Amino acid sequence: MDRRLDFCINGRFLAGPPAATYAVAEHLARAVALLTAESGEREAARQIHVLAPRNARHVDMGLPIERVGRRTGNVWEQIDLPRATAGRILVNLASRSPFLLRQGLTMVHDAQVFTTPASYSLAFRATLKANVRLAGRRQLGLLTVSEFAKSELVGLRLAPAGRVHVIPNGVDHVLRTPAQHDILPRLGLETRGYALALANLMPHKNIPLLIRAFARPALAEMTLVLVGGAGREAFAAAGLAPGANIVFPGYVTDGEMRALQANALAVCTPSLTEGFGMPPVEGLMLGTPAVIAPCGALPEVCGPGALQADPRDPAAWEAALLRLRDDRGVHDRLARDGQAFVARFTWQAAARRLLDVIDAVAPAGDRTGRRAA
């Protein structure tokens, strides 16, 4: 039986501000396009369209992009998008989907609006909770990015285990971005003389722990680089006092981020929970060890490339960083073993898994191009 299946991708990610889930959606959509173009007749014959609002960015992803409807944002996603699916399966890669959708799959990257609600606004968590609950109940299944995230979604009874499918993120996009090494002298940094983390004030990200660790005398000569939108003033307003050895470069380009990741002593992730944890895995792909909290999916995705430290003990993070600085053998072993471990996290593998899941869950009538009754 011909199992080729046509489907659409929710292209709202092409119209929003920069966000981690939108970046994942774009990487995965590009990988699907590349895989179907390079595969055999079965895959090349697929008809895959990205359905996007009229204000979507003009990008070449290798897939046809159809701008549909007159609306934008949430209203577009709830009214115009479902009208345009024309009975095909709709794949939603950025956590949200039409509330009344049945013939669809939605990628829910984590369960944090349920488990760490203080990290989100009331309006955001209320709408996302409702969306995820309906998707788990009505749609063909949920997609997620780690076994840990799956266990949380199942434990919260958002969907049974058999209807939650794990598609780990790829991180090999970092290998395709030329490094912009000039950011190091511009920030006064030396190779392996600094640790890297994301500047984020969400409670579950636990960045104040790093600020307290870098206030300890033994780390006075080491720099902490916090990349992202939350600057020194934002942390000060939250009652924290970042020391002079903490640098806030703000947002950086992809090439600058690659240079920072590749030259750091370690990428630090003290999060109390993560559905995947992209930054430390990107660092491992580039040969940089990670220091992580033993929480969420972090041990699962970092494997043998990370030292683990208590997320409530600044002294434990101080000790881990000093160990990496002072013991070159430990540093190099973690870098080598971690890089080999994360080689599995490619966007091609994610795309292959996505297509397999779609084929497996589609109603029988859809597999031959006919609409299911």
Side-chain angles (χ1 to χ4, degrees):
M1 176 173 58
D2 177 12
R3 290 173 56 85
R4 179 183 61 78
L5 177 65
D6 299 343
F7 64 94
C8 332
I9 294 174
N10 178 347
R12 183 179 171 183
F13 63 87
L14 294 172
T21 56
Y22 285 4
V24 168
E26 186 166 343
H27 284 308
L28 190 46
R30 288 180 185 276
V32 166
L34 187 61
L35 181 63
T36 55
E38 294 180 348
S39 297
E41 181 179 349
R42 170 177 174 256
E43 296 299 352
R46 288 181 185 266
Q47 296 296 315
I48 307 168
H49 291 78
V50 178
L51 301 178
R54 57 182 173 81
N55 63 334
R57 290 181 288 115
H58 291 271
V59 296
D60 181 8
M61 292 193 301
L63 294 173
I65 299 176
E66 299 178 16
R67 287 170 174 78
V68 299
R70 296 173 299 168
R71 302 167 180 86
T72 60
N74 289 327
V75 179
W76 174 85
E77 193 166 51
Q78 299 304 322
I79 297 177
D80 294 333
L81 176 59
R83 288 175 177 172
T85 59
R88 295 169 288 180
I89 287 178
L90 178 65
V91 179
N92 309 275
L93 298 174
S95 297
R96 294 179 179 271
S97 58
F99 280 113
L100 301 182
L101 180 68
R102 288 189 179 275
Q103 295 292 92
L105 290 161
T106 295
M107 177 169 280
V108 181
H109 294 255
D110 54 61
Q112 286 158 200
V113 292
F114 296 92
T115 60
T116 60
S119 291
Y120 307 93
S121 70
L122 177 61
F124 179 89
R125 66 178 186 255
T127 56
L128 188 55
K129 280 181 177 182
N131 203 306
V132 172
R133 286 193 178 105
L134 283 169
R137 185 180 309 136
R138 297 171 60 92
Q139 294 179 25
L140 299 172
L142 298 180
L143 311 173
T144 195
V145 294
S146 66
E147 292 296 337
F148 171 79
K150 175 178 178 176
S151 71
E152 289 215 304
L153 296 172
V154 173
L156 290 164
R157 299 185 179 180
L158 297 171
R163 295 181 58 246
V164 183
H165 309 278
V166 176
I167 302 177
N169 290 325
V171 294
D172 52 323
H173 55 271
V174 299
L175 302 176
R176 299 190 290 270
T177 302
Q180 295 175 264
H181 293 288
D182 62 317
I183 191 172
L184 269 70
R186 183 153 35 95
L187 296 179
L189 303 174
E190 296 182 358
T191 298
R192 295 187 181 175
Y194 64 94
L196 181 68
L198 295 185
N200 195 307
L201 283 165
M202 285 183 169
H204 73 275
K205 296 294 187 180
N206 197 30
I207 298 303
L209 176 282
L210 292 179
I211 292 176
R212 292 194 295 272
F214 274 77
R216 298 176 68 85
L219 294 183
E221 301 303 316
M222 189 183 297
T223 300
L224 173 63
V225 180
L226 293 179
V227 174
R232 185 176 298 274
E233 296 79 10
F235 280 89
L240 300 165
N245 62 339
I246 300 180
V247 174
F248 294 88
Y251 290 111
V252 299
T253 67
D254 290 344
E256 290 170 338
M257 188 63 172
R258 174 173 179 171
L260 290 171
Q261 289 170 321
N263 290 283
L265 177 69
V267 177
C268 295
T269 310
S271 302
L272 302 176
T273 185
E274 287 285 352
F276 186 84
M278 191 77 83
V281 186
E282 289 176 337
L284 289 170
M285 181 69 76
L286 296 170
T288 298
V291 182
I292 61 171
C295 302
L298 291 170
E300 174 187 339
V301 300
C302 293
L307 293 179
Q308 298 185 13
D310 186 334
R312 294 175 177 82
D313 183 5
W317 290 76
E318 173 192 51
L321 290 166
L322 293 176
R323 185 181 179 195
L324 288 176
R325 185 194 69 182
D326 298 337
D327 192 330
R328 185 63 178 266
V330 170
H331 179 282
D332 291 352
R333 173 177 56 79
L334 291 171
R336 180 184 64 249
D337 294 350
Q339 193 170 44
F341 180 80
V342 303
R344 71 193 70 189
F345 296 126
T346 68
W347 289 113
Q348 183 182 51
R352 175 72 274 160
R353 172 67 176 148
L354 175 61
L355 294 179
D356 287 345
V357 169
I358 293 169
D359 281 345
V361 304
D366 283 348
R367 299 183 194 279
T368 56
R370 300 187 301 272
R371 295 186 192 177

